[in-house]
Amino acid sequence: MLEKALYGLKQAPRAWYSWSNPDQLSKFKQSMQSEFEMIDLGEMTYFLGMQIFQSKSGIFVYQEKYANEILIKFGMENCKPADTPLVSNLKLSKNDGKKRVDESMFRGLVGCLLYLTATRPDLMFVASYLSRFMSCPSESHYRAAKRVLRYVKGTSNLGIWFKRAEKLVLQGYTDSDWGGSLDDMKSTSGYVFYINEGAISWFSKKQDTVAQSTA
């Protein structure tokens, strides 16, 4: 069992119980291999569409390869980059009177953006926002989604840098708009938490009820 494989770590001296100690890693791998059928593939560089760069100063996680694949999939590989995901103060509505677009295509695009948020907190709000219109996408919704792809084009190499530090510093930020939805006047809340300036948790979602104030 995993508990048995980890028992040696719990009983080990504190000096040995350090992730920077090569002896610890070697003994841990031997313990795991004695319990499970597994092989050592070396230092992780790629996992489920995420690229991982490791150094003595920290770990950088990004999805540049996946971002470029999205651009090629939707024919936006040669588009002009945009500075922001959305046009400033853009408000979208489900019933905007515009011509409808293919639902499966729009859903696929939004789904790709949602997976890209695994290492891109800056896309969390817009991906969540566009997902509200997957059942009735119009040309205005698709145009907004293509704007996001233009932003991805210019920022495909962005990711999260987990910096090595002696002390752990936790910071969190939260905010919401006030009645931002044109369809039901509900607000959208969002938050992001950092450890040593590396984002560890982020979220954006429309509130379940109509807020009477920003408090």
Side-chain angles (χ1 to χ4, degrees), residues 174-179 187 189 207 209-215:
T174 183
D175 198 4
S176 67
D177 61 358
W178 186 36
S187 304
S189 299
Q207 297 178 4
T209 58
V210 177
Q212 299 300 316
S213 69
T214 57

Side-chain angles (χ1 to χ4, degrees), residues 5 7 34 61 65 75 94 111 120 157 198 207:
Y7 180 76
S34 67
V61 184
K65 182 176 181 295
K94 290 184 177 180
R120 296 289 301 270
N157 61 343
Q207 297 178 4

Side-chain angles (χ1 to χ4, degrees), residues 4 18 21 24 32 57 73 82 95 106 114 125 137 141-142 147 149 152 158 164 169 177-178 180 183 186 198 209:
K4 181 179 178 181
S18 169
N21 191 322
Q24 175 198 353
M32 295 294 291
S57 57
K73 180 178 180 179
N95 302 310
F106 185 80
L114 286 170
F125 169 75
H141 304 143
Y142 184 59
R147 163 80 182 205
L149 292 181
V152 171
L158 294 185
R164 185 173 183 174
V169 179
D177 61 358
W178 186 36
D183 297 311
K186 292 181 180 179
T209 58

